[in-house]
Amino acid sequence: MAPQRFHEQFDQIQRSLPDVPLAMGPDDSAEFIYERGVVLARDGEEARVVEDTVRDHFTATAGLVGDHVRRAGPRTNRSGITRIQVGDPSDRGPGIRGGGDDAVAGALRALRTAEGRTGHRLVSRNHVVSIAVNACPGDEPVPVAHTEQPNPSPAPGTYDPASAVGVLVVDTGLMHDYRSYPPLAHTDGDLQIRETDDDGVLQQYVGHGTFIAGLVAAVAPNTAVTVRGTLNDAGAILEDAFGEALFDAVEEGGWPDILSLSAGSSNGRVDGLLGVEGFMRALRGQRTLLVAAAGNNASATPFWPAAYATQPDYADAVLSVGALRGDGEYGACFSNHGGWVRVYAPGERLTSALTGFDSPVPYIYQHSTYDACRYGFGYACTCRSPRHNGVLSDGTGKPDQVMFEGYASWSGTSFATPVVAGLVAAHMTAHQETDPRAAARQLLEKNVEFAEVRGAHVPALLPATWRPVPVGPA
């Protein structure tokens, strides 16, 4: 059964994608969200095989009509993916909450025999890729006084445009006042489309990309950071569109040295996301290092594209990042984990730029904190502290409102990821290394820090300017 917060986030994402009926999968678990009534296949012969096989299967079974199987807006794309609609379009009304999707499940079953013959996957759900715990960061941002120092605080060093390491952040866009934070003076990219609602209240997720850019620039001053607002819609995008958006992001300014990505999805498989397969093949032929978040579901299930890090074809090209709790000694309660996570970094209660530098901006909490950690941890984690009531939760109290005046404290593998991206960039500058993949290898080889995550000792990268935060007892 999906936890309450997942249902809250499901509703939030559905509102951000009003024309896309969504379902939870598998069944009513909290593993992933996907587009109802649509499957993905590779262009060409494989798409034809999927169409014909699913149509024959549905025609021979009760309850589903084979005539409804057809291409869903046929088009060519760089990802090499075709969307195929399955089932009756009249059953695809928006706002359907939870549960599975019989049409998509039937399509997946229909292809099992054919996939057994070919030895590889032919069809996939169209998953929602998001910056999302169970579809959102580890917590919601908390205001930090502008008199306090960011954490990590800006590292010593200067910006040199001739040698600056190029870092591309694919996330939400930049807030209008981001240049008020000095480390972001050399940052460029897309502005957030809409920051506040009609009442002037800060919308959920909108400062995510600015916060991330601030972390990269603080850890590595000699970086040219570009932010692309690919995930402006509540941090969510469909898998097939995401593959295309990644191509757009890297082609607009050229392939960067480092691509920092704090988004992804599980899919219940160990062979990646079909919708980003084309982009990953293109990445393999470049020199770019993809630093990707491991996700915030407290799960060992592979989270893509981070989990490509342990596939032989991508081991050099992808670095997957999990989050440590505030003291840096153990894994954060929300962090995904497992052998596919290559390294961990501080990701709980980090402080960076958000918004409100020009004038204070109100924010209303969306989720209520819990009485106890929802993952069973015994320290004062972000599940329960600091306390607040949220408008989406079923609590009886009035939602809490706060004011942001520049800085925020925030938690998630979303933020451990740019810390690692910054450390790789700083290593490149310090050692005059021009190959980001070689820099990542060197950084991990020379690293002597370790932390404990679910009983395992794992590599940990701790910035020199990062200050441990006492976690306290539950």
Side-chain angles (χ1 to χ4, degrees):
M1 183 70 175
Q4 176 184 325
R5 184 168 291 196
F6 184 82
H7 283 286
E8 294 168 6
Q9 288 300 317
F10 179 89
D11 292 344
Q12 179 86 345
I13 289 174
Q14 181 66 87
R15 284 192 292 272
S16 74
L17 301 172
D19 299 324
V20 181
L22 300 176
M24 296 182 189
D27 301 320
D28 192 29
S29 76
E31 189 170 326
F32 49 75
I33 300 171
Y34 64 98
E35 183 179 10
R36 185 179 293 273
V38 169
V39 296
L40 304 180
R42 296 178 187 86
D43 287 343
E45 178 62 18
E46 289 196 7
R48 186 193 64 78
V49 169
V50 169
E51 279 187 285
D52 291 347
T53 303
V54 173
R55 185 177 293 111
D56 291 345
H57 173 78
F58 283 179
T59 301
T61 60
L64 294 170
V65 182
D67 290 343
H68 294 135
V69 178
R70 62 177 183 272
R71 302 287 173 102
R75 66 181 185 189
T76 58
N77 57 55
R78 291 159 293 181
S79 298
I81 294 299
T82 296
R83 298 176 74 248
I84 300 174
Q85 183 177 297
V86 295
D88 185 347
S90 66
D91 293 335
R92 299 174 66 236
I96 303 170
R97 192 198 220 218
D101 180 341
D102 290 341
V104 167
L108 298 178
R109 286 194 302 271
L111 269 297
R112 285 177 184 167
T113 300
E115 288 178 336
R117 289 196 301 267
T118 62
H120 70 271
R121 176 171 42 159
L122 296 173
V123 66
S124 167
R125 294 178 175 90
N126 194 17
H127 302 87
V128 171
V129 176
S130 70
I131 60 175
V133 186
N134 303 333
C136 70
D139 63 352
E140 293 177 81
V142 176
V144 173
H146 56 76
T147 55
E148 294 188 26
Q149 278 290 310
N151 191 19
S153 58
T158 58
Y159 175 77
D160 172 19
S163 64
V165 178
V167 180
L168 174 63
V169 174
V170 175
D171 208 271
T172 63
L174 291 161
M175 305 301 279
H176 75 281
D177 56 351
Y178 74 94
R179 289 192 187 276
S180 297
Y181 182 50
L184 293 179
H186 308 290
T187 295
D188 209 345
D190 303 329
L191 290 176
Q192 176 70 36
I193 295 173
R194 189 180 186 198
E195 297 181 4
T196 59
D197 62 19
D198 293 338
D199 296 321
V201 176
L202 195 67
Q203 298 193 106
Q204 196 173 18
Y205 303 123
V206 295
H208 198 260
T210 301
F211 194 94
I212 285 170
L215 290 170
V216 174
V219 174
N222 194 31
T223 49
V225 182
T226 302
V227 177
R228 290 288 165 237
T230 303
L231 301 170
N232 276 329
D233 290 334
I237 188 172
L238 288 173
E239 178 182 332
D240 66 317
F242 185 57
E244 287 297 289
L246 288 174
F247 275 115
D248 289 340
V250 298
E251 290 178 0
E252 184 167 351
W255 287 83
D257 294 312
I258 299 170
L259 170 54
S260 181
L261 179 63
S262 296
S265 177
S266 300
N267 65 350
R269 298 183 61 99
V270 295
D271 54 358
L273 294 176
L274 201 58
V276 301
E277 192 176 82
F279 177 81
M280 295 304 298
R281 285 197 300 268
L283 171 72
R284 193 171 57 194
Q286 301 291 328
R287 58 188 292 278
T288 297
L289 174 71
L290 171 59
V291 184
N296 303 317
N297 300 317
S299 170
T301 301
F303 187 82
W304 307 97
Y308 282 104
T310 52
Q311 292 195 353
D313 288 346
Y314 300 102
D316 257 8
V318 182
L319 184 57
S320 49
V321 183
L324 299 176
R325 71 184 195 181
D327 60 7
E329 296 181 5
Y330 297 89
C333 71
F334 52 78
S335 181
N336 284 353
H337 52 91
W340 54 273
V341 182
R342 294 277 303 281
V343 70
Y344 291 77
E348 189 175 67
R349 308 191 199 285
L350 299 183
T351 302
S352 181
L354 189 73
T355 194
F357 290 100
D358 294 343
S359 60
V361 183
Y363 177 75
I364 296 175
Y365 282 103
Q366 302 296 297
H367 308 287
S368 296
T369 45
Y370 291 68
D371 292 332
C373 174
R374 62 200 136 130
Y375 304 119
F377 279 65
Y379 72 101
C381 64
T382 58
C383 295
R384 50 175 295 150
S385 177
R387 304 288 296 176
H388 49 251
N389 292 319
V391 68
L392 296 177
S393 303
D394 61 359
T396 57
K398 179 182 178 182
D400 291 325
Q401 178 174 308
V402 293
M403 301 294 289
F404 284 100
E405 299 181 278
Y407 294 156
S409 172
W410 214 346
S411 304
T413 60
S414 283
F415 312 125
T417 297
V419 167
V420 171
L423 286 171
V424 174
H427 181 91
M428 292 175 67
T429 297
H431 298 274
Q432 298 183 327
E433 175 60 68
T434 59
D435 182 349
R437 299 180 183 182
R441 290 195 302 271
Q442 295 160 14
L443 191 62
L444 292 177
E445 287 168 0
K446 67 175 286 190
N447 175 64
V448 295
E449 301 285 351
F450 289 88
E452 184 177 320
V453 176
R454 308 279 176 153
H457 290 277
V458 299
L461 294 176
L462 308 177
T465 60
W466 168 77
R467 304 180 305 280
V469 178
V471 298

